[in-house]
């Protein structure tokens, strides 16, 4: 008994350590992926925000954000207030009605890169699908555009593309000379889609591998298994740091984001909106980029002196690259995914 | 009329003993099977029915055949099915070609050395599929061991396309399936009465003749069982074709995984599952039929 | 290589080895497994067309001998010559022997016809000839018309005949049979014994027949070789081996033997004949050679014993008696003596007679 009486307050104190001790206006639960995103998020996003607002933050991790939300909402037992989603998951979750519409009277949408916020999900960092090549194979002139990627005369060698149509259709049309501004207009037509698929069909004899995960294409480039591939910028940067003969370009990179959303019926919905507004600032996103290879989606983040010019080079959202950057139209993909994916798989298995 | 009257008269006499409880004496011997049947139902029949149920609704939750129509309309499904069956069949062939001689060798060993060999065969089963697939990649890829050796030996100038194709997939699957094939085959071979082999020799048959005419036919049930097992398991393979096929080999399971993980389309995935199940059952039925016919022939004898 | 018999007794006078005239000449055959000696210096010689039964209990080495002959066991030393030619170096499939195995060793995936024609088919004989000879041998073993049956559909006796047919269809020079009847029930076994013997009379194939059943050996064989602990104890005609066993082991192994030391016998019997040699220290009398009355014109020994028990065994009675010196022994009283049996009751004293020619003197086994 005596023991319990003494120990209980101590335990309570320990339990509160993770929580802002100040005003304790309330608690929100954040559901995030693990790893570097969790470490960065705790240090740069919800940690400082919680402290500033006096909101205690409970952390949970999952690699399957949307299924977790589906489960919680479906079961009528929502515990997460803020959830990390991929942008298409945010769009999809909004359409499925399992996310709260975001309160843009609280969150300042104007500071974001256009196309990185939606009704249900606000961008937190971005990554790009880019082109990478082996610097030993192409030691002379380096490829610069998607047109070079599809040009096997000029750049002969083994190619790899994704076994999923998403971002590959964009790359194919850009490779066929479609200007970035007209990209999604062309994709909206059947002829445009057929044009993209034909472009890949023509490259197929040179495609040695269809990759299905980031780990895969990073390894291929590092090992020299593939001479040129599509893929995610972070993986290529890592392969290069590991000593692979790899280079890549952000020119015509296709930007996708991860974003923050609030599950339908979140217990602390209003606090969640406040937290998201607080986290959405240039400094937080700049700090976050130190933990990952992902780029801030608030352009101001690059000009406040947190990110040095060397570090900025590997971030896809660097304003220096903004002319060449294409922000993916996630809405289009959600509308057309099943159809395009089927066409792509037919093409792949031909 | 009169016939039915007579039969009605005899029935009670015959049935008397049976109607002593809900489960009459004629049913009683089967009562002991009930727990087993319940487990089979729960573990086998129920999931299959659930799959069927899931597959018969469209995205909006209406009863529909859309998931099956898609399988017919979209050519890639047909190709994926054909690829999966072909790769599985090739794996079976490789297992038979490698496994039968190996099993023959192990079955001919003494008890202790056979146990040692079987242990060695089973050992890889404890290592991860993933590790084994990547190990093959290290050996087969463009800058892999084989290509490096051959290039440095001057046998080839250009690396051979060993990885990311049907060849590497079948190789990797054979590596994994061989132990599973060997176990029933070794079992069948060890069960063959050695005096039959001696008898054949005593009649003047050479080793090869005896092997062909006596040993192999007697091991055939084990070989068929092993091949069937390998085939059915190969149909569901995911990791190996995904890694060693490099997207050039699309297996059904990869398709199911994609339907589920990205799009949560349970209906589509379930429909593939149902079709896979049915085609596997059809195939098993055919193999059973062939075996029956073969047995009938053996029983029917010569002219 | 295979010699054609065509039912005729083959001539023993084959080129180069008329020395013994033997078909099979086994000499000095030895096989050990670690500490266990399965065959110890075995000599056995078989004349052409002879039927030799190898009789012994399990572990006596009789099956090892057969397996060595068939080529399935390589002996450590010794020689096996077939018509003068050494065959120890030949693999089993080159020896040209017919073998009938204990469990028949029929191929379960083949029909009767396919089983029996197996040795012919592998010899690349014309199909019509294969069919003819197979049908013929099936007739011989009384299985005409059974060709299409699967093995599983046959009875034990029928399987035995198939095994026999398969072993003789290619007319081997030697037939080896390893306890071929041990799986059959008694009446069928006796029937088959006679059939096999008849078949042998017809074909005259030199036959080595391994059995543990003394009656079988006595019924079928021209000569019997009794084996024990890897050695042949005695080899002789059934009659002589029964009447004149060379050792106590053989005496006890075949039939019922009453064995006394010469001293005991001298005390128990009166008018005992003298031993033909000094070192023959045992006296052996067959149980059925005791009589309840003296033989009319032949010299007899006699003894008085106390009856312990009498049991009726159908064709005879078995009586357990005790000598005056307290030694128990069993005698068999034949039906012919039935009217005297009534006097044999427990505790009664009885006088038994044995003809001198039925009294055998043996050496003590080493």
């Amino acid at each position: 008994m005596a023991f319990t009486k003494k120990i209980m307050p101590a335990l309570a104190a320990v339990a509160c350590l993770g929580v802002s001790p100040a005003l304790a206006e309330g608690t929100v639960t954040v559901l995030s992926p693990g790893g570097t995103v969790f470490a960065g998020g705790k240090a740069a996003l919800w940690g400082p925000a919680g402290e500033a607002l006096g909101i205690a933050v409970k952390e949970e991790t999952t690699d399957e954000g949307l299924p977790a939300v589906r489960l919680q909402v479906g079961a009528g037992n929502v515990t997460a207030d803020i959830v990390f989603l991929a942008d298409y998951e945010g769009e999809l979750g909004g359409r499925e009605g399992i996310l709260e519409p975001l309160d843009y009277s609280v969150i300042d949408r104007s500071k974001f890169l256009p196309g990185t916020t939606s009704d249900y999900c606000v961008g937190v960092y971005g990554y790009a699908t880019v082109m990478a090549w082996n610097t030993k194979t192409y030691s002379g002139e380096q490829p610069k555009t998607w047109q070079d990627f599809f040009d096997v005369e000029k750049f002969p060698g083994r190619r790899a593309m994704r076994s999923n149509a998403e971002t590959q259709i964009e790359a194919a049309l850009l490779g066929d000379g479609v200007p970035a501004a007209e990209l999604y207009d062309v994709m909206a037509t059947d002829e445009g889609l057929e044009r993209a698929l034909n472009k890949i069909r023509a490259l197929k004899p040179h495609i040695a591998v269809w990759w299905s995960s980031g780990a895969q294409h990073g390894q291929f480039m590092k090992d020299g298994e593939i001479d040129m591939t599509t893929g995610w910028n972070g993986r290529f940067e890592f392969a290069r740091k590991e000593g692979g003969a790899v280079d890549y370009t952000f020119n015509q990179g296709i930007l996708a984001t991860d974003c923050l959303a609030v599950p339908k019926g979140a217990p602390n919905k209003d606090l969640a909106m406040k937290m998201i507004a607080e986290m959405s600032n240039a400094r937080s996103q700049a700090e976050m980029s130190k933990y990952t290879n992902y780029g801030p989606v608030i352009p101001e983040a690059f000009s406040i002196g947190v990110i040095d010019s060397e570090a900025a080079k590997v971030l896809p959202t660097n304003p220096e690259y903004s002319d060449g950057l294409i922000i993916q139209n996630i809405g289009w993909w959600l509308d057309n995914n099943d159809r395009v994916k089927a066409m792509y798989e037919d093409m792949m298995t031909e | 009329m009169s016939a039915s009257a007579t039969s009605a008269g005899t029935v009670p006499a015959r049935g008397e003993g049976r109607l002593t409880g809900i489960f009459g004496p004629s049913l009683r011997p089967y009562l002991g099977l009930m727990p087993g049947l319940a487990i089979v139902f729960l573990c086998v029949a129920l999931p299959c029915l659930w799959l069927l149920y899931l597959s018969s609704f469209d995205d909006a939750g209406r009863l529909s055949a859309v998931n099956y129509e898609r399988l017919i309309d979209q050519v890639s499904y047909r190709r994926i099915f054909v690829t999966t069956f072909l790769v599985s069949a090739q794996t079976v062939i490789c297992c038979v070609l490698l496994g039968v001689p190996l099993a023959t060798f192990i079955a001919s060993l003494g008890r202790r050395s056979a146990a040692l060999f079987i242990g060695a065969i089973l050992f890889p089963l404890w290592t991860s599929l993933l590790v084994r697939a990547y190990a093959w990649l290290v050996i087969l890829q463009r800058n892999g061991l084989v290509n490096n050796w051959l290039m440095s030996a001057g046998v080839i100038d250009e690396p051979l396309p060993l990885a990311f194709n049907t060849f590497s997939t079948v190789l990797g699957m054979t590596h994994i399936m061989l132990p599973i094939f060997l176990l029933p085959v070794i079992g069948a071979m060890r069960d063959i009465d050695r005096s039959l082999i001696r008898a054949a020799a005593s009649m003047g048959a050479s080793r090869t003749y005896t092997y062909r005419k006596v040993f192999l036919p007697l091991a055939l049930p084990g070989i068929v069982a092993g091949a069937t097992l390998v085939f059915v398991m190969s149909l569901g393979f995911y990791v190996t074709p995904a890694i060693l096929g490099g997207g050039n080999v699309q297996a059904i399971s990869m398709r199911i995984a994609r339907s589920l993980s990205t799009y949560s389309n349970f209906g589509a995935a379930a429909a593939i599952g149902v079709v896979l199940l049915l085609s596997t059952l059809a195939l098993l039925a055919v193999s059973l039929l062939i075996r029956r016919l073969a047995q009938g022939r053996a029983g029917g004898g010569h002219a | 290589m295979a010699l054609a018999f065509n039912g005729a007794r083959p001539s023993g006078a084959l080129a180069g080895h008329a020395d013994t005239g033997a078909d099979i000449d086994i000499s000095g055959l030895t096989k050990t497994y670690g500490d266990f000696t399965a065959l110890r210096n075995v000599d056995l010689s078989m004349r052409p067309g002879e039927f030799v039964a190898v009789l012994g209990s399990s572990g006596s080495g009789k099956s090892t001998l057969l397996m060595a002959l068939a080529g399935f066991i390589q002996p450590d030393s010794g020689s096996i010559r077939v018509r003068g030619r050494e065959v120890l170096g030949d693999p089993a499939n080159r020896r040209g022997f017919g073998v009938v195995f204990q469990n028949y060793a029929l191929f379960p995936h083949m029909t009767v016809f396919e089983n029996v024609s197996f040795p012919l088919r592998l010899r690349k004989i014309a199909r019509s000839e294969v069919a003819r000879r197979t049908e013929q041998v099936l007739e011989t073993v009384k299985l005409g018309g059974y060709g299409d049956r699967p093995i599983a559909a046959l009875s034990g006796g029928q399987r035995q005949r198939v095994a026999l047919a398969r072993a003789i269809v290619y007319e081997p020079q030697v037939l080896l049979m390893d306890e071929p009847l041990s799986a059959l029930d008694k009446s069928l076994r006796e029937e088959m014994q006679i059939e096999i013997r008849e078949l042998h009379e017809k074909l005259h194939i030199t036959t080595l027949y391994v059995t543990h059943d003394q009656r079988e050996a006595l019924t079928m064989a021209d000569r019997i070789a009794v084996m024990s602990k890897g050695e042949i104890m005695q080899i002789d005609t059934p009659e002589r081996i029964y009447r004149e066993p060379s050792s106590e082991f053989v005496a006890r192994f075949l039939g019922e033997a009453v064995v006394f030391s010469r001293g005991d016998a001298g005390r128990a019997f009166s008018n005992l004949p003298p031993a033909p040699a000094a070192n023959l220290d045992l006296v052996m009398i067959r149980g059925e050679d005791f009589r309840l009355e003296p033989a009319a014109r032949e010299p007899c020994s006699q003894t008085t014993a106390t009856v312990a028990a009498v049991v009726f065994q159908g064709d005879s009675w078995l009586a357990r008696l005790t000598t005056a010196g307290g030694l128990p022994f069993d005698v068999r009283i034949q039906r012919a003596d039935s009217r005297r049996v009534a006097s044999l009751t427990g505790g009664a004293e009885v006088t038994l007679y044995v003809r001198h020619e039925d009294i055998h003197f043996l050496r003590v086994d080493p």
Side-chain angles (χ1 to χ4, degrees):
Chain A
M1 268 304 163
F3 170 78
T4 323
K5 270 182 190 159
K6 255 193 238 166
I7 209 80
M8 282 309 285
L11 278 178
V14 170
C16 288
L17 277 182
V19 169
S20 170
L23 303 148
E25 199 181 307
T27 305
V28 294
T29 302
V30 175
L31 189 59
S32 88
T36 55
V37 171
F38 180 83
K42 188 180 176 73
L45 302 177
W46 64 78
E51 208 154 316
L53 297 175
I55 294 172
V57 180
K58 235 177 101 191
E59 299 151 339
E60 286 172 13
T61 60
T62 176
D63 286 331
E64 301 273 357
L66 191 67
V69 173
R70 274 201 196 106
L71 213 61
Q72 291 191 4
V73 175
N77 179 22
V78 180
T79 55
D81 296 304
I82 298 170
V83 59
F84 278 66
L85 296 176
D87 48 12
Y88 75 87
E89 287 181 320
E91 190 75 24
L92 185 59
R95 291 184 192 195
E96 285 179 20
I98 56 170
L99 298 178
E100 292 284 351
L102 294 175
D103 185 351
Y104 281 110
S105 66
V106 180
I107 304 160
D108 180 6
R109 201 171 189 170
S110 65
K111 45 189 179 183
F112 283 85
L113 209 57
T116 59
T117 58
S118 70
D119 292 348
Y120 296 94
C121 214
V122 52
V124 62
Y125 50 73
Y127 54 93
T129 298
V130 300
M131 164 177 70
W133 60 90
N134 188 309
T135 53
K136 276 189 196 149
T137 311
Y138 309 115
S139 48
E141 192 190 347
Q142 307 281 294
K144 293 180 192 66
T145 63
W146 289 116
Q147 271 163 310
D148 291 339
F149 182 85
F150 285 93
D151 191 342
V152 287
E153 304 263 302
K154 201 167 156 195
F155 296 100
R158 283 154 64 98
R159 301 291 200 273
M161 286 188 81
R162 191 179 183 182
S163 62
N164 182 327
E166 195 240 336
T167 64
Q168 309 302 291
I169 298 293
E170 282 98 328
L173 285 176
L174 292 166
D176 207 32
V178 173
E182 296 164 24
L183 184 59
Y184 286 96
D185 294 334
V186 175
M187 275 168 71
T189 65
D190 285 349
E191 298 78 47
L193 280 176
E194 206 43 54
R195 185 176 165 189
L197 292 171
N198 281 335
K199 190 74 185 169
I200 302 172
R201 264 190 197 102
L203 187 70
K204 237 182 109 181
H206 304 274
I207 298 177
V209 185
W210 301 88
W211 60 264
S212 53
S213 77
Q216 229 184 342
H217 64 240
Q219 193 67 36
F220 289 155
M221 290 314 292
K222 202 186 138 212
D223 291 347
E225 182 64 28
I226 293 298
D227 296 313
M228 214 187 304
T229 184
T230 62
W232 294 314
N233 64 292
R235 297 290 183 174
F236 299 135
E237 183 56 34
F238 186 72
R240 188 163 64 173
K241 273 188 195 150
E242 293 274 291
V246 183
D247 204 356
Y248 60 95
T249 178
F250 281 112
N251 184 35
Q252 297 185 313
I254 301 153
L255 187 80
T257 61
D258 277 3
C259 55
L260 302 172
V262 178
K264 192 92 183 171
N268 308 293
K269 181 181 129 191
D270 294 337
L271 287 183
M273 297 295 172
K274 278 190 198 166
M275 277 292 284
I276 291 175
E278 183 63 29
M279 285 189 266
S280 300
N281 68 76
R283 177 161 301 273
S284 284
Q285 291 206 346
E287 292 287 347
M288 180 77 184
S289 75
K290 291 180 176 175
Y291 292 85
T292 63
N293 282 308
Y294 303 136
V297 289
I298 296 173
E300 197 197 341
F302 286 92
S303 56
I304 53 171
V306 178
I307 304 170
D308 63 46
S309 62
E310 200 56 35
K313 273 186 190 165
V314 302
L315 301 177
T317 49
N318 185 337
E320 279 181 34
Y321 307 141
S322 64
D323 288 348
L325 196 68
I326 291 139
I327 292 163
Q328 196 182 20
N329 185 342
I330 286 302
W332 184 90
W333 273 104
L334 277 177
D335 292 336
N336 297 286
N337 186 46
D338 285 353
R339 185 170 65 99
V340 177
K341 202 180 66 176
M343 290 166 74
Y344 193 80
E345 278 176 1
D346 286 354
M347 179 275 299
M348 255 177 79
T349 53
E350 264 164 21
Chain B
M1 274 297 129
S2 65
S4 77
T6 22
S7 73
T10 60
V11 163
R14 223 165 21 119
E16 239 165 18
R18 290 190 192 168
L19 300 168
T20 46
I22 304 172
F23 302 110
S26 65
L27 266 181
R28 197 158 292 151
Y30 301 104
L31 277 181
L33 293 176
M34 293 307 276
L37 287 176
I39 289 171
V40 168
F41 179 77
L42 277 175
C43 298
V44 178
L46 210 59
C48 290
L49 292 174
W50 180 242
L51 218 56
L52 195 64
Y53 174 81
L54 279 178
S55 67
S56 40
F57 293 94
D58 64 9
D59 293 346
R62 286 182 303 261
L63 203 64
S64 135
V66 66
N67 290 316
Y68 291 96
E69 282 163 10
R70 194 185 301 125
L71 293 189
I72 295 165
D73 293 344
Q74 201 183 322
V75 284
S76 67
Y77 278 105
R78 221 172 309 146
R79 295 193 190 120
I80 286 171
F81 266 90
V82 170
T83 305
T84 308
F85 277 82
L86 276 182
V87 165
S88 302
Q90 285 167 322
T91 305
V92 168
I93 291 169
C94 289
C95 281
V96 170
L97 290 181
L98 290 171
V100 169
L102 191 56
T104 306
F105 169 68
I106 292 169
S108 73
L109 294 172
R111 183 175 297 203
R112 194 172 294 176
S113 2
L116 200 73
F117 269 91
I118 291 172
I121 287 167
L122 291 184
F123 183 70
L125 285 179
W126 272 275
T127 61
S128 140
L129 293 181
L130 215 60
V131 169
R132 281 188 277 170
Y134 278 115
W136 277 116
L137 223 48
V138 169
I139 294 168
L140 297 176
Q141 63 189 3
R142 183 157 72 153
N143 298 324
L145 292 177
V146 173
N147 274 324
N148 280 350
W149 283 340
L150 290 178
M151 301 248 289
S152 63
V155 181
I156 49 169
D157 299 328
E158 283 288 304
L160 297 172
L162 299 175
F164 310 120
N165 48 32
T166 311
F167 167 76
S168 55
T169 307
V170 171
L171 187 64
M173 284 170 67
T174 304
H175 178 212
I176 287 155
M177 283 302 173
L178 197 55
I180 290 158
F181 175 77
L182 281 172
L183 289 183
V185 176
I186 291 174
M189 286 180 173
R190 289 187 78 87
D191 281 347
I192 295 175
D193 184 352
R194 296 293 121 165
S195 69
L196 297 180
I197 309 301
R198 289 179 158 184
S202 75
M203 288 178 259
S206 65
R207 279 163 173 265
T208 3
Y209 192 88
T210 307
Y211 189 70
R212 239 164 9 94
K213 296 286 181 175
V214 179
F215 193 80
L216 274 188
L218 290 172
L220 198 62
I223 295 172
V224 170
T228 310
L229 200 64
V230 167
F231 187 80
V232 171
M233 287 180 78
S234 296
L235 289 178
F237 248 63
Y238 176 78
V239 171
T240 310
I243 292 170
L244 289 172
N248 294 309
V249 179
Q250 291 285 326
I252 295 170
S253 54
M254 292 159 67
R255 189 54 202 259
I256 293 176
R258 226 172 313 144
S259 290
L260 286 183
S261 69
T262 320
Y263 307 102
S264 287
N265 196 340
F266 280 90
I272 304 174
V274 168
V275 173
L276 180 60
L277 187 69
L278 290 179
S279 41
T280 309
L281 287 179
L283 220 88
L284 285 181
V286 170
S287 100
L288 204 69
L289 198 71
I290 292 173
R291 239 160 81 187
R292 283 274 163 77
L293 287 177
Q295 268 169 7
R297 201 199 58 79
H302 72 111
Chain C
M1 275 310 289
L3 283 152
F5 277 68
N6 297 329
R9 195 181 179 114
S11 151
L14 280 155
H17 36 81
D19 50 343
T20 60
D23 224 18
I24 293 184
D25 217 333
I26 299 169
S27 67
L29 212 59
T30 298
K31 175 73 185 174
T32 55
Y33 296 99
D35 290 342
F36 178 72
T37 305
L39 294 177
R40 192 194 302 272
N41 212 18
V42 170
D43 297 328
L44 176 64
S45 170
M46 292 168 74
R47 289 185 301 277
E50 192 180 19
F51 193 122
V52 173
V54 178
L55 179 63
S57 50
S58 67
S60 62
K62 60 186 191 302
S63 285
T64 311
L65 176 62
L66 183 135
M67 289 295 158
L69 206 51
F72 300 127
I73 289 173
Q74 192 60 32
D76 303 331
S77 60
S79 108
I80 299 173
R81 275 186 308 228
V82 177
R83 302 194 177 165
R85 201 179 70 81
E86 178 63 56
V87 298
L88 262 187
D90 294 355
N93 61 335
R94 296 274 168 76
R95 295 203 180 178
F97 296 167
V99 184
V100 177
F101 292 83
Q102 193 168 2
N103 65 354
Y104 315 141
L106 298 178
F107 303 130
H109 58 298
M110 297 182 191
T111 61
V112 168
F113 181 92
E114 286 165 337
N115 263 283
V116 174
S117 61
F118 183 88
L120 299 178
R121 282 183 287 140
L122 66 89
R123 283 176 171 75
K124 309 241 184 294
I125 292 169
R127 267 190 138 166
S128 57
E129 177 70 3
V130 168
R132 192 187 63 76
R133 283 169 72 175
T134 306
E135 299 296 353
Q136 192 185 337
V137 80
L138 281 175
E139 289 294 339
T140 309
V141 298
K142 301 178 183 168
L143 281 177
Y146 278 72
D148 288 347
R149 303 272 179 102
I151 296 304
L154 300 183
S155 71
Q158 288 167 335
R159 288 178 197 203
Q160 174 53 55
R161 289 162 204 252
V162 175
L164 195 59
R166 196 179 61 173
I168 60 176
V169 70
Y170 55 104
E171 297 170 349
Q173 33 189 335
V174 175
L175 184 60
L176 308 175
M177 303 176 90
D178 187 7
E179 307 212 29
L181 305 180
S182 60
L184 303 181
D185 60 45
K186 190 167 179 290
S187 63
L188 194 54
R189 198 157 63 220
E190 285 172 356
E191 192 188 316
M192 284 303 299
Q193 284 168 8
I194 291 163
E195 273 186 33
I196 291 174
R197 185 65 218 187
E198 278 174 4
L199 199 67
H200 181 256
E201 298 292 332
K202 206 157 108 192
L203 301 177
H204 278 294
I205 303 177
T206 311
T207 303
L208 186 86
Y209 188 103
V210 165
T211 181
H212 67 271
D213 182 339
Q214 45 155 312
R215 187 166 288 276
E216 199 166 289
L218 292 168
T219 309
M220 303 176 77
D222 295 331
R223 284 195 296 156
I224 296 174
V226 179
M227 282 193 79
S228 171
K229 295 175 184 163
E231 282 180 275
I232 293 187
M233 306 298 289
Q234 186 176 2
I235 174 158
D236 221 326
T237 61
E239 172 113 26
R240 281 171 60 91
I241 216 161
Y242 187 83
R243 286 283 152 214
E244 291 164 38
S246 64
S247 63
E248 184 185 358
F249 175 85
V250 175
R252 289 194 184 280
F253 199 80
L254 273 102
E256 291 156 352
V258 175
V259 180
F260 294 120
S261 72
R262 208 158 63 173
D264 286 340
R267 279 185 287 282
F269 288 83
S270 57
N271 191 23
L272 203 64
N279 64 343
L280 302 178
D281 284 333
L282 294 179
V283 172
M284 191 282 286
I285 303 161
R286 290 286 173 200
E288 70 271 20
D289 287 340
F290 289 88
R291 294 147 183 260
L292 291 171
E293 48 193 77
R297 245 161 289 182
E298 289 157 285
C300 287
S301 301
Q302 65 189 76
T303 183
T304 303
T306 312
V307 177
V310 179
V311 289
F312 178 62
Q313 291 192 318
D315 55 350
S316 61
W317 287 264
L318 184 70
R320 168 147 295 185
L321 305 149
T322 316
T323 65
L327 295 172
F329 65 105
D330 294 347
V331 305
R332 191 161 288 280
I333 316 272
Q334 300 303 323
R335 231 196 172 87
D337 281 332
S338 57
R339 59 199 171 79
R340 292 250 179 185
V341 170
S343 65
L344 298 183
T345 51
E349 284 221 331
V350 60
T351 304
L352 294 160
Y353 304 88
V354 183
R355 297 186 308 171
H356 279 182
E357 69 175 56
D358 292 332
I359 296 176
H360 309 278
F361 291 89
L362 304 174
R363 258 184 311 128
V364 177
D365 287 349

